């Protein structure tokens, strides 16, 4: 064993002539706190390369929530042979000490220890029941034999046949809620959401989902009713629900009205945004016409000819007609002509958005800058709101977005 001080005293020639490698590992510290090292025999580069550890495996792939939901019916963490063993134990009933009785008098053998672990509700029933010749009896009323059989089998191995599950999904939803089996409830909800709902049964499923505290299924049913209210409200299920549960009918009607109001508000905002976008494009086209000219209209110092190709400003065509009318109209007062009034408003809007009024080529730009002080406070607030909306449309359009709408 050598300390770090003895290593530093080695001649440089020896270090340069040595072509092997040292494997240095921390062994401990001496009484003075100096780290002690172990010097091993030099090894060839080939041997050292063989001892390089392999890189760790890549991290496991994380499934998204949607993919996990799609694979819910097929996902299982239990090995197949283990599942087969539990299924065999259930089917053969070897050593069964519980008899599950159904409405038609059929009996399903089961094991009390497994039922108690899988379902706390069944465990309480077993504790309260008395054994008769070593056998305890549990009655599950109101359910067909096949549904109870699928339910008990799921308690053993979490296995099920998808076709049978679809057929008895509603019965199993009730059983999973009554006997506190969340995993089976999630499977039932998934199956009902993925195609078992239609306009004829959605009302019944909604009422059952609420009683079974299946919040997601209840939400899916409500959304379906809101989307297709006209069809669903004419079904027999809706008529029965209206007589037996008027409070639920009122709640659903409120949801429909709220959704319709929200849809109208969204449509209004979309139309409003289109108007502001058109105004922004009109401002761009106005500067383009007054500065560079477009087709046959433009500044006095430029001679323009038609047929030079299409214009990149979609609002130019409508704005060109408005400018020609404004230049030749004899009335040309803000309140005398509708088209001229619109042109006056566009010129003032441009003036409020322009930051270079001293050198701006748009007519009356500086004039409107001075005229701002003559507006009333209420009118000034309206103009400021309009300018902010148009600027917001400009930002939403983005620097690389193409101009999509035309003005007028």
């Amino acid at each position: 064993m050598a300390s770090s001080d003895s290593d530093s005293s080695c001649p440089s020639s020896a270090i340069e002539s040595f072509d092997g490698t040292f494997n240095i590992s921390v062994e401990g510290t001496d009484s003075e706190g100096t780290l002690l090292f172990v010097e091993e025999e030099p090894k060839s580069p080939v041997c050292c390369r063989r001892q390089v550890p392999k890189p760790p495996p890549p991290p496991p792939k994380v499934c998204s929530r949607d993919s996990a939901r799609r694979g819910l019916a097929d996902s299982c963490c239990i090995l197949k042979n283990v599942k087969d063993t539990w299924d065999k134990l259930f089917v053969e009933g070897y050593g069964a000490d519980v008899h599950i009785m159904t409405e038609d008098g059929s009996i399903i053998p089961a094991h009390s220890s497994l039922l108690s672990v899988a379902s706390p509700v069944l465990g309480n029933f077993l504790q309260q029941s008395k054994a008769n010749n070593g056998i305890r009896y549990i009655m599950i009323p109101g359910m067909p034999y096949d549904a109870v059989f699928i339910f008990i089998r799921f308690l053993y191995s979490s296995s099920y046949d998808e076709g049978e599950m679809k057929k008895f999904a509603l019965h199993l939803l009730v059983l999973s809620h009554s006997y506190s089996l969340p995993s089976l409830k999630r499977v039932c909800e998934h199956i009902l959401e993925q195609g078992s709902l239609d306009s004829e049964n959605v009302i019944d499923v909604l009422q059952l989902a609420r009683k079974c505290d299946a919040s997601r299924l209840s939400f899916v049913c409500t959304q379906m009713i809101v989307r297709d209210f006209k069809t669903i409200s004419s079904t027999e299920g809706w008529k029965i629900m209206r007589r037996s549960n008027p409070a639920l009918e009122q709640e659903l009607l409120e949801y429909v009205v709220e959704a319709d109001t929200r849809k109208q508000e969204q449509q209004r905002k979309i139309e409003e945004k289109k108007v502001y976008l058109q105004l922004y494009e009109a401002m761009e086209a106005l500067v383009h016409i007054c500065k560079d000219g477009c087709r046959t209209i433009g500044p006095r110092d430029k001679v323009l000819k038609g047929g030079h190709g299409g214009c990149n400003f979609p609002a130019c065509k409508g704005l060109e007609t408005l400018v020609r009318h404004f230049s030749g109209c004899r009335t040309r007062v803000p309140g005398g002509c509708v088209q001229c009034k619109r042109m006056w408003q566009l010129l003032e809007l441009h003036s409020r958005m322009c930051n270079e009024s001293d050198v701006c080529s748009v007519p009356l730009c500086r004039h409107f800058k001075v005229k701002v002080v003559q507006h009333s406070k209420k009118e000034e607030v309206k103009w400021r709101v309009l300018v902010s909306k148009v600027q917001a449309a400009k930002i939403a359009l983005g620097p690389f977005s193409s101009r999509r709408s035309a003005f007028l």
Side-chain angles (χ1 to χ4, degrees):
M1 183 175 297
S3 67
S4 58
D5 294 337
S6 63
D7 293 338
S8 61
S9 63
C10 294
S12 60
S13 60
I15 297 176
E16 293 175 355
S17 62
F18 179 72
D19 57 356
T21 58
F22 280 104
N23 286 336
I24 307 297
S25 61
V26 178
E27 183 181 21
T29 59
D30 59 7
S31 58
E32 297 179 355
T34 305
L35 288 176
L36 302 180
F37 298 90
V38 177
E39 180 179 331
E40 298 180 358
E41 293 295 330
K43 298 180 181 180
S44 65
V46 176
C47 294
C48 294
R49 192 176 300 114
R50 288 178 180 176
Q51 291 184 355
V52 175
K54 295 182 179 180
K61 184 178 179 182
V62 179
C63 298
S64 63
R65 183 179 298 178
D66 293 338
S67 62
R69 188 178 298 118
R70 287 194 299 268
L72 179 62
D74 300 325
S75 62
C76 186
C77 300
I78 307 174
L79 296 177
K80 183 178 184 302
N81 57 346
V82 178
K83 291 176 59 178
D84 293 342
T85 301
W86 285 107
D87 272 338
K88 184 177 180 181
L89 179 64
F90 166 66
V91 173
E92 295 182 358
Y94 178 78
D97 57 351
V98 178
H99 284 177
I100 308 294
M101 304 178 64
T102 60
E103 185 108 331
D104 59 355
S106 301
I107 295 177
I108 302 175
H111 301 79
S112 59
S113 56
L114 189 143
L115 297 182
S116 300
V117 173
S119 171
V121 178
L122 287 175
N124 291 334
F125 286 166
L126 290 171
Q127 290 180 0
Q128 297 174 7
S129 63
K130 295 181 179 181
N132 186 6
N133 296 328
I135 301 296
R136 298 179 183 274
Y137 295 87
I138 296 179
M139 179 69 180
I140 299 182
M143 293 290 167
Y145 170 82
D146 292 335
V148 179
F149 184 88
I150 297 171
F151 172 69
I152 302 299
R153 181 193 177 191
F154 191 90
L155 293 177
Y156 274 76
S157 61
S158 299
S159 301
Y160 59 88
D161 180 82
E162 189 171 352
E164 294 178 349
M165 183 66 72
K166 288 182 179 180
K167 183 177 180 181
F168 298 100
L170 293 177
H171 300 85
L172 294 170
L173 179 64
V174 176
L175 288 171
S176 64
H177 175 71
S178 302
Y179 296 99
S180 186
L181 197 62
S183 57
L184 179 58
K185 180 185 287 190
R186 287 193 295 268
V187 174
C188 295
E189 288 184 84
H190 175 77
I191 289 177
L192 289 170
E193 292 171 13
Q194 298 302 315
S196 298
L197 291 176
D198 54 41
S199 58
E200 295 295 331
N201 67 2
V202 64
I203 295 295
D204 298 331
V205 175
L206 172 62
Q207 297 180 84
L208 189 61
R210 290 193 164 201
K211 292 181 179 179
C212 295
D213 196 22
S215 56
R216 175 175 172 79
L217 180 59
S218 176
F219 174 77
V220 172
C221 293
T222 303
Q223 292 295 102
M224 183 177 178
I225 294 171
V226 170
R227 287 195 304 267
D228 195 15
F229 176 74
K230 185 175 181 181
T231 302
I232 296 175
S233 60
S234 61
T235 60
E236 189 66 25
W238 178 275
K239 297 176 182 178
I240 296 174
M241 180 269 296
R242 184 172 54 186
R243 293 193 299 266
S244 60
N245 195 351
L248 178 58
E249 181 197 19
Q250 182 63 30
E251 184 178 347
L252 293 175
L253 290 175
E254 291 176 0
Y255 283 144
V256 173
V257 172
E258 181 181 352
D260 187 57
T261 303
R262 186 165 56 249
K263 184 177 180 181
Q264 292 179 1
E265 181 66 16
Q266 291 176 351
Q267 187 64 31
R268 185 190 65 80
K269 289 183 178 180
I270 292 174
E271 296 298 329
E272 185 179 275
K273 186 177 180 180
K274 287 182 180 179
V275 173
Y276 294 136
L277 182 59
Q278 289 174 352
L279 287 174
Y280 163 67
E281 293 181 347
M283 297 300 100
E284 281 194 328
L286 183 62
V287 175
H288 164 64
I289 290 175
C290 297
K291 182 179 179 180
D292 303 322
C294 184
R295 299 185 184 93
T296 60
I297 186 172
R300 296 180 179 179
D301 57 345
K302 292 186 179 181
V303 179
L304 303 176
K305 296 181 181 180
H308 287 292
C311 179
N312 293 327
F313 294 84
C316 271
K317 184 176 181 181
L319 194 60
E320 180 180 351
T321 305
L322 190 61
V323 171
R324 288 188 180 280
H325 169 83
F326 183 75
S327 61
C329 182
R330 296 183 178 181
T331 307
R332 201 193 298 178
V333 292
C337 176
V338 175
Q339 291 180 315
C340 289
K341 181 179 179 180
R342 184 174 300 176
M343 189 64 198
W344 280 105
Q345 291 173 342
L346 291 177
L347 291 172
E348 184 168 357
L349 178 60
H350 162 79
S351 175
R352 288 177 174 271
M353 297 179 63
C354 182
N355 297 324
E356 301 176 351
S357 57
D358 294 335
V359 295
C360 183
S361 57
V362 178
L364 303 177
C365 182
R366 183 172 178 79
H367 166 75
F368 283 109
K369 288 282 188 184
V370 178
K371 189 181 177 183
V372 168
V373 296
Q374 301 178 6
H375 287 306
S376 64
K377 186 176 180 180
K378 184 177 180 180
E379 188 175 359
E380 183 64 21
V381 170
K382 291 182 179 180
W383 275 107
R384 288 181 181 178
V385 172
L386 178 61
V387 171
S388 65
K389 295 287 187 180
V390 175
Q391 290 176 341
K394 173 184 176 181
I395 296 174
L397 190 63
F400 303 106
S401 300
S402 59
R403 299 170 179 86
R404 298 183 295 273
S405 58
F407 181 70
L408 301 177

